[in-house]
Amino acid sequence: MGNQLGATRCHYATDLPVCGCLLAFRHSRESVAECASSCFGVWAIYLNSELYKDTLERARKMKRLYFIRHGQSELNKQKILAGHTDTPLTAKGRSQARAAGKNAHGLAIDCIVSSPLSRAHETAHIVAQEIGFPADTIILNPLVIERTYGELEGTPWDTESHIDDLDGVETLAAVLARAHETLTFVSSLPYENILIASHGTFGLALQAAIQGEQTFQDVDGIPNAEVIRFIPTFSFESEHPVAF
């Protein structure tokens, strides 16, 4: 279905129509029919339409799940693999987080869940300040921590390397399992608009879990400090159906 990252990303599109096909459609105002004709399957929902009533009803009942990867860190700047290594935000990273917070006004965020690593937690704290959210209520949850890279942490990042079988490296299957656990956790929370502040690889895993994918690729696909709304697929055939 084209760009897999784009398939479930929707930037602040509370005013739908929403096309989940490609990032190019993220600010689309095209009709449902035009959107659907651009996709391999119907990915459009139009809140004021009589079309797709079942999908619309399910969409109304779902929580809104937003995701932000931390702002630029010192190791990001050096293109060094961080994983569980704690590395602070750069000045640019803090500025990115402030901008993300300003852009998140209007999303009615009522819960923030953060990785305990400082680059994600500080990003969550900055966003919270910008949107007037009580930072002392941010939930730190190790489920949303970055993938562990073992001895590779502190080395240059190489997206072409096949590392899944290396000692000390968390497998993609294990990261994906954490993503499913995260969705279960999120679905249990008594909130409707939840922001997860986390990391690039975990974000890809979470996106794959929402899509019902059985695996994912560890590539550099999620930008720093950009609030993204993950839109679940509406399949009832997934082995791990989305619970929100």
Side-chain angles (χ1 to χ4, degrees):
M1 187 184 286
N3 185 312
Q4 287 297 302
L5 179 61
T8 51
R9 285 175 57 165
C10 168
H11 294 232
Y12 320 120
T14 55
D15 55 341
L16 304 180
V18 171
C19 177
C21 179
L22 295 173
L23 290 178
F25 287 88
R26 66 189 184 191
H27 299 301
S28 174
R29 294 296 181 271
E30 297 189 43
S31 70
V32 171
E34 289 171 327
C35 176
S37 70
S38 303
C39 306
F40 296 100
V42 177
W43 281 79
I45 307 166
Y46 191 47
L47 287 182
N48 297 316
S49 175
E50 291 299 310
L51 300 174
Y52 317 125
K53 287 184 178 178
D54 291 342
T55 299
L56 177 57
E57 183 60 26
R58 191 174 176 204
R60 281 176 172 154
K61 294 179 180 178
M62 287 191 297
K63 297 175 187 286
R64 292 183 177 88
L65 181 61
Y66 298 94
F67 180 90
I68 184 170
R69 181 188 176 196
H70 58 81
Q72 183 194 62
S73 70
E74 290 291 348
L75 291 185
N76 283 159
K77 184 177 179 180
Q78 300 170 46
K79 301 187 185 303
I80 297 296
L81 192 58
H84 280 201
T85 301
D86 215 357
T87 173
L89 295 180
T90 62
K92 178 179 178 179
R94 294 184 182 94
S95 177
Q96 289 172 328
R98 284 191 291 272
K102 288 181 172 64
N103 288 335
H105 277 292
L107 297 183
I109 299 296
D110 54 2
C111 178
I112 299 179
V113 179
S114 175
S115 159
L117 293 176
S118 65
R119 59 190 185 272
H121 189 201
E122 184 177 5
T123 297
H125 194 279
I126 292 171
V127 170
Q129 288 180 319
E130 292 294 333
I131 64 175
F133 181 89
D136 60 347
T137 66
I138 293 171
I139 300 170
L140 296 183
N141 192 325
L143 280 176
V144 304
I145 202 168
E146 183 57 299
R147 183 184 187 187
T148 305
Y149 290 97
E151 292 183 358
L152 293 177
E153 295 185 11
T155 66
W157 173 232
D158 180 4
T159 58
E160 301 301 318
S161 296
H162 299 285
I163 63 174
D164 218 33
D165 296 327
L166 297 181
D167 288 341
V169 175
E170 187 177 14
T171 65
L172 293 178
V175 182
L176 188 58
R178 281 200 288 117
H180 283 293
E181 289 184 63
T182 298
L183 293 182
T184 300
F185 170 72
V186 165
S187 69
S188 73
L189 295 173
Y191 305 106
E192 298 303 320
N193 300 292
I194 300 170
L195 174 66
I196 294 178
S198 183
H199 309 268
T201 299
F202 183 77
L204 294 172
L206 191 61
Q207 175 226 353
I210 289 173
Q211 281 189 304
E213 300 290 343
Q214 301 303 309
T215 188
F216 71 102
Q217 297 300 311
D218 190 354
V219 296
D220 189 10
I222 297 181
N224 290 108
E226 182 175 347
V227 177
I228 296 163
R229 182 180 171 193
F230 283 142
I231 306 295
T233 57
F234 297 99
S235 170
F236 294 92
E237 301 175 356
S238 169
E239 182 180 346
H240 300 283
V242 176
F244 61 94

